[in-house]
Amino acid sequence: MAGSTTISNTSNLSKFTSLDQNGCIMAEYIWIDAVSGIRGKTKTLFKEPAGPEDLPEWNFDGSSTGQAPGDNSDVYLRPVAIFPDPIRQKPNIIVLCETWNPDGTPNKYNYRHDCNRVMEANKEQVPWFGLEQEYTVFGVDGWPYGWPKGGFPGPQGPYYCAVGTGNVYCRDIVEAHYKACLYAGIKISGINAEVLPSQWEFQVGPCVGIEMGDHLWTARYLLHRVAEEFGVKISFHPKPIPGDWNGSGLHTNVSTAEMRVEGGMKHIESALEKLSKRHKEHIAVYGSDNELRLTGKHETGSIDTFSYGVANRGASIRIPRECAHKGYGYFEDRRPSSNGDPYQITGIMIETICGGAPSE
Ligand code: ADP
Ligand code: MN
Ligand code: MN
Ligand code: MN
């Protein structure tokens, strides 16, 4: 496998991280590239910003990231959210940005822009989301971290929510990421080891509207960044290992204001009715290679058919048992794949169940 195999030498770096910054702030501007990767570069600021609107716009060479042609390569970075930086630590910050073209249109890969318009148009419904981000950790050799070199661990069974040597893979990395998210103010709601050895999950939510995509993308950035320190790679591929091994999803838990109160079940049912009519449109933006995962096996529904059921992990949509019992709450869309874009997923969800944004 191509790529650098040099692991960052954090113990040497730590001597420098405590040096005085003379009042300056390192702002890591991050953005999403053409292939759902994350890029970032740093700017020195001379005072602490009060909010994203207080931060300067910036730009980058879009021809180097597949986001612009070489003859018109500037892409602009517009700050939209600020997080304390757990890597460099306070007062340094991470600045999540939208990407914009020089002609004032959103970049092709700026899915946040449309998502935000849909969320704004349906603000009174106060949409809540909770995303369950599954991922797999790989060594630099391209084989899952901790697996026997070129071989396979024992079959699935002992690894899900596992405790104990032999059953647990790479907990150090996962714990570091959890702490980093808490430090950054990400609304991370938990973690668990998954069914495939060296596969894990973290949950972010409940988040309101556009905040869901902002927090999940920043949590993904932090995961890649933490992984650098450990010399491992994070894969969001929905079927990292072919065969009788679980894939990775991005289960999307959803509720609107009227679903969360008594009598909410009829609003959940009406949402499911609308969702059943747009299965294909949803699948189209629920991540790539998802057909390798949504086979109807390994706790998934089939990619070709829409289905739902109470406590059914083999359906497209699951209504949690507790919610069915109470008669209100939320539902879980199990279709999105781990590499899906949360802006696209939450955007189409609210468009389908609440209605689209007025045209620009
Ligand atoms: P699972 O049982 O499918 O593994 P998890 O506990 O991993 O579920 O994740 C559930 C997610 O749903 C969490 O992120 C949680 O914050 C979120 N959630 C809980 N209540 C709601 C709600 N009313 N609306 C939207 N999301 C919710
Ligand atoms: Mn879960
Ligand atoms: Mn899971
Ligand atoms: Mn789930």
Side-chain angles (χ1 to χ4, degrees):
M1 193 176 75
S4 164
T5 54
T6 311
I7 298 170
S8 106
N9 201 335
T10 313
S11 52
N12 279 347
L13 172 63
S14 65
K15 285 180 264 178
F16 298 90
T17 48
S18 56
L19 292 179
D20 185 64
Q21 293 182 198
N22 281 315
C24 295
I25 291 168
M26 295 188 239
E28 187 70 17
Y29 277 51
I30 64 169
W31 71 93
I32 300 142
D33 70 13
V35 291
S36 283
I38 305 167
R39 310 276 179 142
K41 61 176 187 166
T42 318
K43 189 181 198 61
T44 303
L45 304 176
F46 301 100
K47 70 172 180 47
E48 213 165 319
E53 56 295 330
D54 202 24
L55 283 163
E57 268 195 19
W58 207 8
N59 58 60
F60 67 95
D61 169 14
S63 71
S64 298
T65 63
Q67 287 170 282
D71 57 1
N72 187 15
S73 64
D74 275 1
V75 177
Y76 291 89
L77 293 171
R78 289 196 190 159
V80 292
I82 297 176
F83 300 89
D85 185 342
I87 311 286
R88 293 179 171 133
Q89 307 192 6
K90 292 169 192 172
N92 303 307
I93 54 175
I94 295 166
V95 177
L96 179 68
C97 297
E98 280 193 15
T99 51
W100 286 77
N101 300 322
D103 67 0
T105 57
N107 189 257
K108 185 174 165 196
Y109 305 99
N110 176 358
Y111 297 116
R112 187 184 188 278
H113 177 66
D114 279 339
C115 177
N116 200 26
R117 292 177 57 242
V118 174
M119 295 303 171
E120 281 297 312
N122 293 290
K123 259 215 286 254
E124 80 291 350
Q125 273 302 322
V126 203
W128 286 12
F129 304 99
L131 295 191
E132 303 168 49
Q133 176 72 69
E134 293 179 336
Y135 63 95
T136 311
V137 183
F138 281 77
V140 280
D141 58 0
W143 199 233
Y145 185 81
W147 284 31
K149 290 281 159 257
F152 291 84
Q156 295 182 161
Y159 311 114
Y160 170 72
C161 296
V163 178
T165 302
N167 293 340
V168 171
Y169 291 65
C170 41
R171 195 191 292 280
D172 47 1
I173 297 153
V174 177
E175 290 286 315
H177 174 249
Y178 197 174
K179 277 274 190 166
C181 284
L182 290 174
Y183 182 96
I186 303 287
K187 290 185 175 172
I188 186 165
S189 42
I191 57 164
N192 61 268
E194 270 302 339
V195 174
L196 174 85
S198 84
Q199 181 192 41
W200 289 78
E201 167 179 313
F202 65 88
Q203 302 96 31
V204 179
C207 287
V208 181
I210 196 69
E211 181 188 52
M212 186 69 254
D214 291 351
H215 280 227
L216 191 78
W217 272 115
T218 306
R220 284 178 175 177
Y221 165 77
L222 290 175
L223 185 55
H224 285 304
R225 191 61 191 75
V226 165
E228 281 179 32
E229 307 290 329
F230 289 85
V232 298
K233 295 186 84 147
I234 302 302
S235 170
F236 290 114
H237 195 278
K239 192 74 179 179
I241 308 290
D244 210 8
W245 302 98
N246 272 37
S248 296
L250 185 63
H251 294 170
T252 300
N253 299 276
V254 186
S255 63
T256 58
E258 53 196 14
M259 294 177 192
R260 289 189 293 268
V261 293
E262 213 132 309
M265 192 52 77
K266 68 172 183 293
H267 297 286
I268 292 177
E269 279 162 7
S270 132
L272 297 183
E273 174 65 21
K274 290 174 187 164
L275 285 164
S276 72
K277 300 199 170 107
R278 292 189 85 203
H279 179 67
K280 273 211 170 74
E281 291 90 331
H282 278 249
I283 290 291
V285 295
Y286 276 7
S288 56
D289 295 316
N290 207 7
E291 68 284 355
L292 302 174
R293 163 182 166 261
L294 292 182
T295 57
K297 290 196 289 193
H298 303 109
E299 302 170 54
T300 70
S302 150
I303 196 163
D304 300 316
T305 49
F306 179 87
S307 60
Y308 67 89
V310 173
N312 184 353
R313 290 176 194 270
S316 314
I317 303 228
R318 175 175 70 104
I319 299 171
R321 170 86 59 207
E322 195 207 342
C323 169
H325 183 72
K326 286 193 307 193
Y328 62 92
Y330 65 100
F331 65 89
E332 176 193 41
D333 189 342
R334 299 175 61 80
R335 296 172 293 174
S337 90
S338 44
N339 60 5
D341 183 310
Y343 295 129
Q344 288 183 288
I345 296 165
T346 60
I348 195 170
M349 180 63 70
I350 296 309
E351 179 187 280
T352 298
I353 68 184
C354 300
S359 53
E360 269 182 310

